[in-house]
Amino acid sequence: MTRRPSRKERKEQIILAAAGMFAEKGYANTLVAEVASAADIGKGTVYEYFRSKDDLFFTVFEYFVEQTRRVAEEALVGAAGKDAAGKLVAYSRAIIAWMAGHRHIYTLSLEFWAASVSASPELRDRFEGSFMETYEAFRKIVADIIQEGMDSGMFQKRVDPRAIASGIMGAWDGLGLQSMFDPAFDIEKTAEAYIKLVINGLMNETT
Amino acid sequence: MTRRPSRKERKEQIILAAAGMFAEKGYANTLVAEVASAADIGKGTVYEYFRSKDDLFFTVFEYFVEQTRRVAEEALVGAAGKDAAGKLVAYSRAIIAWMAGHRHIYTLSLEFWAASVSASPELRDRFEGSFMETYEAFRKIVADIIQEGMDSGMFQKRVDPRAIASGIMGAWDGLGLQSMFDPAFDIEKTAEAYIKLVINGLMNETT
Amino acid sequence: MTRRPSRKERKEQIILAAAGMFAEKGYANTLVAEVASAADIGKGTVYEYFRSKDDLFFTVFEYFVEQTRRVAEEALVGAAGKDAAGKLVAYSRAIIAWMAGHRHIYTLSLEFWAASVSASPELRDRFEGSFMETYEAFRKIVADIIQEGMDSGMFQKRVDPRAIASGIMGAWDGLGLQSMFDPAFDIEKTAEAYIKLVINGLMNETT
Amino acid sequence: MTRRPSRKERKEQIILAAAGMFAEKGYANTLVAEVASAADIGKGTVYEYFRSKDDLFFTVFEYFVEQTRRVAEEALVGAAGKDAAGKLVAYSRAIIAWMAGHRHIYTLSLEFWAASVSASPELRDRFEGSFMETYEAFRKIVADIIQEGMDSGMFQKRVDPRAIASGIMGAWDGLGLQSMFDPAFDIEKTAEAYIKLVINGLMNETT
DNA sequence: GATGAATGAGGTTTCATTCAT
DNA sequence: GATGAATGAAACCTCATTCAT
């Protein structure tokens, strides 16, 4: 005999069900009824927890952002103690591993990216703002590692840490994208070779 | 006095109007009536040229792919005669310049990416197939340049050309994405610094 | 320290809350939850006292009718001992004063009138029946006064007492209606002038 | 073979169908689908002509007001040339005859009255404003007749014409109401007796 | 007895698509 | 060939009512 879930648990249950459905069928093609059914609740119950389908969508997004940040945070912790190059490799591996391991969920990114341009103006602003903030957080982490490498003398090449961080992050997203279109794409192997090349670029002064 | 447009011109007129609307409001939020109105024709006329809204969407996508490939082709031609590093820089610049110069249209990518996951199964397959093909074409071009650099001895580092090509392309997409969320993001400067770092990585053997 | 209300008090508490809400927002636009909240009880509790929202509505109606009749009764008592003309004036004044003083509640009449035509067949019948009965009761009172005036010789004009009673009652309702649409409408002054004119008509034989 | 109706005719066709349905079942209990079906068109077509169900409702109201005013206008014309008392009788007869003859439509009044208090604030204001204007128009007509009667010396009693006009109009509405509840109520006979009494009151100076 | 979370039937509204002109 | 009025399936959302606690 299972107890009735708390309000918070019930809400998360719906968010997870919605995340799954949105990832699978896309936001526009997912019926609220399907989310409810996936969460094993009645259609009306969804509206007890979310004002509208849009509201649910944005909440799923926030949940997703939260998770993404936690992944980054954990990766950072796992990389502590290593030198700059080691940190970069470890950090990249963690991000890519998460993408590879949550391919099903990662699909949501595409939905969110699209929504950030095509949603209603109010929603769009919220998406855009959140994206900028999240990307900035990632960028700071990566740029700090690069700066540390330059400071320690490990990275000989003089670069703008933020620009390079942007490029590295871009590559992560872009590789994730390619793995989305091509199931045979080996994102982990590809990313591994790639980050090492970038690090090689950082370690050698241009002659 | 303007002559009546040919069937082909009329079709392109609709495609361009649709591209603009889809980029601006997103596919799902764009009404067929809006496309028709933007193309200065009647709503019913759209159906003289396209079987359905989905069909129009996919045609816009094909048109978009075609253009993208032409951009790549032209960039490649413009880079002919340079050495591998020069080609890479020129090629990257051309791609990024196109992104920066067609930001409004480039938004469509997000729609297409999302559709490749969330559209109806049939449409999804067509999207996925086309994406794989297009990415493969780009990948070949970039990988060939890298191979050429290694063959010529300019690139000292031994790498898997296809993997690195994937990473570079990923960075392009990912930087385009960041520029989409952040109007202040200077994609051309960032990409310039980044591609040079990657090239530096290629030119130096790991010690 | 307030004791727990008896079942009857609790029921009246709900009726009053419902009356207030229905008068303010209309029956259709009032949520059962709002009634409950206004009555300071839980939503489910309403259903401990009333079978359905319709049932609550009808009970409010009956309560309203009861009050209206009491008002009429009291007015009649207050007018006892006067002559026919005096009774008519006093009676009219009491009715109109009640309307003016309970403008907020009187709004309910409009809801009831509408319901008597547009509610479900069963409910409609109950409304119609109750209205006929109530109007008949009023009509009898007024007609009796008129008859008394004619009998006593005070009213010289020969009239059908019931027809005239209907007209007078109609004027009361109609004036109430006008005061509902126009906050500036002085119903008491208007009704006073009007009833005196009618009495003047009764007192003078047509020449 | 019937030609396709013009936009204006089609709109009126919907208004009439809606008026019938609203009168029969009440606004809240009428489905848009029922209106469409009564108008022999598709459900979606209703929305080609009206923004919303509320909008349709208000348009029906305006149509109703227009008709009511036309009735008053015609009645006034028909009464021209008579003396004040004759005008009053003719005018009253015309109004009451219209009510009696359009009982089916007149039911709508109850809906409109109720809406003027219970509809959404915006709609409510439009209703209220329109009612005040319409009542004022009627009031002016009746008051002018009374004034004319006093000026000509036919009406000996000194009265406030507007107050008495309000009372007479109130009686019309109130009698219509009674006839609505009671199918056996003979509104024409009752109104006839009543208006004559009122006129008697006007013709005789209070002694 | 009292409660309010859960429910889902039912209603409005949207919009891709058709087809008569 | 072009049009846009008409359509109705489909989807979101509301809210009276139930029932487990």
Side-chain angles (χ1 to χ4, degrees):
Chain A
M1 176 179 171
T2 53
R3 63 179 178 75
R4 158 114 65 110
S6 74
R7 186 167 174 85
K8 200 182 164 162
E9 289 166 338
R10 178 54 55 96
K11 189 165 185 175
E12 187 164 5
Q13 172 189 7
I14 299 173
I15 291 173
L16 291 174
M21 293 307 302
F22 293 162
E24 188 183 327
K25 312 187 49 175
Y27 175 65
N29 302 318
T30 300
L31 276 56
V32 171
E34 288 172 326
V35 172
S37 160
D40 256 313
I41 54 168
K43 191 179 10 156
T45 307
V46 172
Y47 288 88
E48 292 289 325
Y49 292 85
F50 302 93
R51 239 187 318 284
S52 65
K53 195 189 175 191
D54 260 20
D55 184 38
L56 171 58
F57 186 50
F58 190 72
T59 307
V60 168
F61 170 65
E62 281 178 320
Y63 186 88
F64 184 87
V65 166
E66 199 45 56
Q67 252 196 61
T68 306
R69 289 193 163 183
R70 188 171 315 137
V71 166
E73 209 57 51
E74 283 168 9
L76 189 63
V77 170
K82 309 196 170 176
D83 59 25
K87 274 183 182 158
L88 223 41
V89 168
Y91 199 64
S92 174
R93 271 183 196 156
I95 302 278
I96 296 290
W98 185 79
M99 282 183 182
H102 296 72
R103 195 175 179 278
H104 191 64
I105 287 293
Y106 188 67
T107 314
L108 273 171
S109 297
L110 307 193
E111 286 292 316
F112 295 143
W113 293 345
S116 76
V117 253
S118 70
S120 65
E122 317 87 69
L123 206 53
R124 192 188 308 206
D125 285 353
R126 298 173 74 188
F127 271 105
E128 235 183 65
S130 185
F131 267 125
M132 281 181 56
E133 210 182 301
T134 307
Y135 273 86
E136 186 52 35
F138 273 74
R139 187 149 38 218
K140 173 146 187 17
I141 292 172
V142 178
D144 281 353
I145 298 178
I146 294 171
Q147 185 65 54
E148 179 194 328
M150 293 199 296
D151 289 348
S152 73
M154 181 176 216
F155 294 166
Q156 296 280 317
K157 177 142 176 89
R158 299 298 91 186
V159 297
D160 170 1
R162 288 174 49 79
I164 302 309
S166 296
I168 292 171
M169 287 160 57
W172 289 336
D173 275 336
L175 289 171
L177 203 53
Q178 287 172 59
S179 79
M180 211 109 297
F181 302 138
D182 183 356
F185 187 81
D186 187 338
I187 188 174
E188 304 202 78
K189 206 183 109 211
T190 305
E192 187 75 15
Y194 187 72
I195 191 69
K196 285 193 171 148
L197 171 68
V198 170
I199 289 171
N200 193 50
L202 285 167
M203 294 181 77
N204 290 280
E205 197 176 351
T206 309
T207 49
Chain B
M1 176 175 168
T2 54
R3 64 180 176 72
R4 186 205 289 201
S6 74
R7 186 166 173 85
K8 198 177 168 170
E9 287 167 338
R10 177 60 58 94
K11 189 165 184 175
E12 188 165 5
Q13 172 189 7
I14 299 173
I15 292 172
L16 291 174
M21 292 309 300
F22 293 161
E24 188 183 328
K25 312 187 47 176
Y27 175 65
N29 301 319
T30 299
L31 308 184
V32 171
E34 289 172 324
V35 171
S37 159
D40 258 315
I41 55 168
K43 200 192 336 178
T45 308
V46 172
Y47 287 86
E48 295 289 329
Y49 292 86
F50 302 93
R51 230 187 330 280
S52 67
K53 194 190 178 191
D54 264 16
D55 183 38
L56 170 58
F57 187 48
F58 190 73
T59 306
V60 169
F61 170 65
E62 282 179 318
Y63 186 89
F64 184 86
V65 166
E66 199 45 55
Q67 252 196 62
T68 308
R69 289 193 164 182
R70 187 172 315 139
V71 167
E73 209 57 51
E74 283 167 10
L76 190 63
V77 170
K82 307 196 171 178
D83 60 26
K87 275 181 181 160
L88 222 41
V89 169
Y91 198 62
S92 174
R93 270 184 198 156
I95 302 278
I96 296 290
W98 184 81
M99 282 183 182
H102 297 72
R103 194 174 181 275
H104 189 64
I105 286 295
Y106 188 66
T107 314
L108 274 171
S109 298
L110 307 192
E111 286 293 316
F112 295 141
W113 292 345
S116 77
V117 196
S118 68
S120 65
E122 317 87 68
L123 204 53
R124 191 189 308 207
D125 286 352
R126 298 173 75 187
F127 270 104
E128 236 183 62
S130 182
F131 266 125
M132 281 181 57
E133 207 182 305
T134 306
Y135 273 86
E136 186 52 36
F138 272 74
R139 188 150 35 219
K140 172 140 188 20
I141 292 172
V142 178
D144 282 353
I145 297 177
I146 293 172
Q147 186 63 57
E148 178 194 328
M150 293 200 294
D151 290 347
S152 73
M154 181 175 216
F155 295 165
Q156 296 280 319
K157 174 139 177 96
R158 298 299 89 187
V159 296
D160 171 1
R162 288 175 49 79
I164 301 310
S166 295
I168 291 172
M169 286 160 55
W172 291 335
D173 276 336
L175 289 171
L177 203 52
Q178 288 171 61
S179 77
M180 211 110 294
F181 302 139
D182 183 356
F185 187 81
D186 186 339
I187 189 174
E188 304 201 77
K189 206 182 108 208
T190 305
E192 187 75 15
Y194 188 72
I195 192 69
K196 285 190 171 150
L197 172 68
V198 170
I199 289 170
N200 193 49
L202 286 167
M203 293 180 77
N204 290 278
E205 198 175 350
T206 310
T207 49
Chain C
M1 177 180 167
T2 53
R3 65 180 176 72
R4 184 203 293 196
S6 74
R7 187 166 171 83
K8 197 179 167 170
E9 288 167 338
R10 177 60 58 96
K11 190 165 182 175
E12 187 165 5
Q13 173 189 5
I14 299 174
I15 292 172
L16 291 174
M21 293 308 301
F22 293 162
E24 187 183 327
K25 312 186 49 177
Y27 174 67
N29 301 318
T30 299
L31 308 184
V32 171
E34 289 172 324
V35 171
S37 159
D40 259 313
I41 55 167
K43 199 189 341 176
T45 308
V46 171
Y47 288 86
E48 296 289 331
Y49 292 86
F50 302 92
R51 232 188 328 280
S52 66
K53 194 190 177 192
D54 264 16
D55 183 38
L56 171 58
F57 187 47
F58 191 72
T59 308
V60 169
F61 171 64
E62 283 178 318
Y63 187 88
F64 183 87
V65 165
E66 199 45 55
Q67 253 196 57
T68 307
R69 287 192 165 183
R70 187 171 316 138
V71 167
E73 209 57 50
E74 284 168 9
L76 191 62
V77 170
K82 307 196 172 180
D83 60 27
K87 275 182 181 159
L88 222 41
V89 168
Y91 199 63
S92 174
R93 270 184 197 155
I95 303 277
I96 295 290
W98 184 82
M99 283 183 181
H102 297 73
R103 196 175 180 274
H104 190 63
I105 287 294
Y106 187 66
T107 314
L108 273 171
S109 298
L110 307 193
E111 286 293 317
F112 296 141
W113 292 345
S116 77
V117 196
S118 68
S120 64
E122 317 87 68
L123 203 54
R124 190 189 308 205
D125 285 352
R126 296 173 76 189
F127 271 104
E128 236 184 63
S130 183
F131 267 125
M132 279 180 58
E133 208 181 303
T134 307
Y135 272 86
E136 186 53 34
F138 273 73
R139 187 150 35 218
K140 172 141 188 18
I141 293 171
V142 178
D144 281 353
I145 298 177
I146 293 170
Q147 185 65 55
E148 180 195 328
M150 292 200 295
D151 289 348
S152 73
M154 181 175 216
F155 295 165
Q156 298 280 318
K157 173 135 177 101
R158 297 300 89 186
V159 297
D160 171 1
R162 288 176 48 79
I164 300 310
S166 295
I168 291 172
M169 288 161 54
W172 288 336
D173 277 335
L175 289 172
L177 202 53
Q178 287 171 61
S179 79
M180 211 110 295
F181 303 138
D182 183 356
F185 187 81
D186 186 339
I187 188 174
E188 304 201 79
K189 205 182 109 207
T190 305
E192 187 75 15
Y194 188 73
I195 191 70
K196 285 191 172 150
L197 171 68
V198 170
I199 289 171
N200 193 51
L202 286 167
M203 293 179 77
N204 290 280
E205 196 177 351
T206 309
T207 50
Chain D
M1 178 180 170
T2 53
R3 65 182 177 73
R4 160 117 59 114
S6 75
R7 187 165 175 85
K8 199 178 166 170
E9 288 166 339
R10 177 56 55 96
K11 190 164 186 178
E12 188 163 5
Q13 172 190 8
I14 299 174
I15 292 173
L16 290 175
M21 293 308 301
F22 293 162
E24 187 182 328
K25 310 186 52 175
Y27 175 66
N29 301 318
T30 300
L31 307 181
V32 171
E34 290 171 325
V35 172
S37 159
D40 255 313
I41 53 168
K43 192 177 11 154
T45 306
V46 171
Y47 287 88
E48 293 288 327
Y49 292 85
F50 303 92
R51 242 188 315 283
S52 65
K53 195 189 176 193
D54 261 19
D55 184 38
L56 171 57
F57 186 49
F58 190 72
T59 307
V60 169
F61 170 64
E62 281 178 319
Y63 187 88
F64 184 86
V65 166
E66 199 45 56
Q67 253 195 60
T68 307
R69 288 194 164 181
R70 188 169 316 138
V71 167
E73 209 58 50
E74 284 167 8
L76 190 62
V77 170
K82 307 196 171 179
D83 58 27
K87 273 182 182 160
L88 223 41
V89 169
Y91 199 63
S92 175
R93 270 183 199 156
I95 302 276
I96 296 290
W98 184 80
M99 284 184 181
H102 296 73
R103 196 173 179 277
H104 191 63
I105 287 293
Y106 189 66
T107 314
L108 273 171
S109 296
L110 307 194
E111 285 292 316
F112 295 142
W113 292 346
S116 77
V117 252
S118 69
S120 65
E122 318 87 68
L123 207 54
R124 192 188 307 206
D125 285 353
R126 297 173 74 188
F127 270 105
E128 235 183 65
S130 184
F131 267 125
M132 280 181 57
E133 210 182 301
T134 307
Y135 273 86
E136 185 53 34
F138 273 73
R139 188 149 37 218
K140 171 140 186 23
I141 293 172
V142 178
D144 281 353
I145 298 176
I146 294 171
Q147 185 66 54
E148 179 194 327
M150 292 199 295
D151 290 347
S152 73
M154 181 175 216
F155 294 166
Q156 297 281 320
K157 180 150 174 79
R158 298 299 90 186
V159 296
D160 172 0
R162 287 174 50 79
I164 300 311
S166 296
I168 291 172
M169 286 161 57
W172 289 335
D173 275 335
L175 289 172
L177 203 52
Q178 288 172 59
S179 79
M180 212 109 294
F181 302 138
D182 182 356
F185 187 82
D186 187 339
I187 188 175
E188 305 202 75
K189 205 181 110 210
T190 306
E192 187 76 14
Y194 187 72
I195 190 69
K196 285 192 171 147
L197 171 68
V198 170
I199 289 171
N200 193 49
L202 285 166
M203 293 181 77
N204 290 281
E205 198 176 350
T206 309
T207 50

